[in-house]
Amino acid sequence: MADNGFLGTYTPRMDDKGRITLPAKYRDDFAGGVMLTKGQDRCLYVFTPEGFGTFAHSAINAEVTDERARGYQRYMLANTDQQHPDGQGRITVPARMRQYAQLDKDVVITGIGLRMEIWDAAEWADYEARQEAAYANPERGTLNPL
């Protein structure tokens, strides 16, 4: 992974077996495995095992006496799948994850720093359109530039 993490937008097609080809630019980063989990906004998160460890650290180590933390921990970890890309750089998106993210043949993979996200192409187009005005005119929009 580059110093800036995962970046860019890619438009592979999902085949009939639910396989998606990861961007060639980042295949070496995923040679050690892929952690695929349900993300917010009905997309899927794609991490390297190390990236997933960083992302999930607080959930994995949450106090078992905290009901909200337990619920988040259970849902996230129960809906995570570890895989190794095949020789062509493809991963298989399990049916339950395809259903959650409403994935069909046309998908978008976006680089979001520590992770990549897999979106249904139409959902991504809608999401991006909603964000564009706020990004282009931050004083009038709702995006927080951190």
Side-chain angles (χ1 to χ4, degrees):
M1 178 171 31
D3 291 339
N4 296 324
F6 297 114
L7 305 171
T9 302
Y10 309 88
T11 56
R13 291 190 48 98
M14 186 168 55
D15 70 14
D16 292 337
K17 296 179 182 178
R19 295 178 301 193
I20 296 174
T21 303
L22 296 173
K25 179 178 183 175
Y26 296 115
R27 283 198 196 138
D28 288 346
D29 297 302
F30 292 115
V34 172
M35 302 297 289
L36 185 64
T37 190
K38 290 180 180 179
Q40 277 74 42
D41 300 313
R42 296 276 179 188
C43 71
L44 303 177
Y45 293 164
V46 182
F47 292 96
T48 63
E50 298 79 18
F52 182 77
T54 300
F55 168 75
H57 182 272
S58 61
I60 290 169
N61 296 293
E63 292 293 325
V64 296
T65 57
D66 182 336
E67 183 179 354
R68 286 184 62 204
R70 259 191 338 267
Y72 185 84
Q73 178 187 53
R74 286 175 178 151
Y75 190 83
M76 181 183 61
L77 297 175
N79 288 290
T80 298
D81 187 48
Q82 185 170 10
Q83 298 187 28
H84 290 280
D86 68 13
Q88 296 177 359
R90 296 176 301 189
I91 59 170
T92 300
V93 179
R96 72 182 192 288
M97 290 188 181
R98 290 194 309 263
Q99 183 179 13
Y100 170 81
Q102 302 167 346
L103 300 180
D104 200 7
K105 291 202 178 291
D106 295 320
V107 299
V108 172
I109 298 178
T110 59
I112 312 292
L114 181 64
R115 70 183 183 276
M116 299 199 90
E117 294 180 349
I118 301 173
W119 288 76
D120 170 75
E123 285 296 317
W124 174 252
D126 289 346
Y127 180 83
E128 195 172 34
R130 290 191 309 270
Q131 299 304 315
E132 187 172 13
Y135 185 80
N137 299 298
E139 67 279 354
R140 294 188 329 205
T142 59
L143 285 180
N144 181 355
L146 307 176

